[in-house]
Amino acid sequence: QVQLVESGGGLVQAGDSLRLSCAASGQTFRTYAMGWFRQAPGKEREFVTVINWSGDTTYYADSVKGRFTVSRDNAKNTVSLQMNSLKPEDTAVYHCAAATYWPGPDYYANAALYNYWGQGTQVTVSS
């Protein structure tokens, strides 16, 4: 079993930056792939990014590419999401998720392939 806890969300203005963190505990060896998803009110859950165990492979949704950067520190069992140039459309609850295997390259955005989920942290970007 893996427990995931997100932190770092908040209220910012368009153009500002935020850094989200996800702390993993339990059977952390089962977090081979760590992803970030987001869900805005009334909208479907959306893939944001994913990173593999070694950190040498990442994928980003087109909507965040060039603005967001994902990284992980396995010694600390943490995954971070640096979000720059935030836009109002980035407003959502952000969840981190873990997969026990690498789902990519074609299926990394499929939420059904992730085994563990955090409770989420709210990011609100005002215009």
Side-chain angles (χ1 to χ4, degrees):
Q1 188 176 3
V2 175
Q3 296 80 43
L4 304 174
V5 179
E6 305 94 334
S7 62
L11 173 63
V12 298
Q13 296 181 353
D16 286 350
S17 298
L18 276 177
R19 186 176 180 88
L20 306 183
S21 295
C22 175
S25 61
Q27 297 178 315
T28 56
F29 65 90
R30 299 178 64 86
T31 62
Y32 186 86
M34 292 293 298
W36 286 93
F37 293 77
R38 65 187 184 185
Q39 187 166 20
K43 296 184 178 180
E44 300 296 321
R45 183 167 49 190
E46 177 187 23
F47 167 79
V48 178
T49 184
V50 65
I51 185 170
N52 70 342
W53 179 264
S54 60
D56 60 357
T57 301
T58 58
Y59 293 97
Y60 296 91
D62 289 340
S63 59
V64 306
K65 192 175 300 181
R67 299 187 297 121
F68 291 11
T69 302
V70 65
S71 61
R72 69 188 298 171
D73 185 341
N74 291 338
K76 297 181 178 179
N77 294 318
T78 59
V79 179
S80 298
L81 181 64
Q82 179 66 43
M83 306 185 297
N84 298 327
S85 301
L86 283 164
K87 304 175 181 179
E89 51 263 44
D90 295 319
T91 295
V93 176
Y94 284 71
H95 296 264
C96 63
T100 59
Y101 58 93
W102 180 239
D106 297 324
Y107 303 101
Y108 54 83
N110 187 349
L113 299 183
Y114 292 78
N115 307 97
Y116 307 101
W117 293 82
Q119 84 289 345
T121 185
Q122 177 71 48
V123 173
T124 303
V125 184
S126 62
S127 59

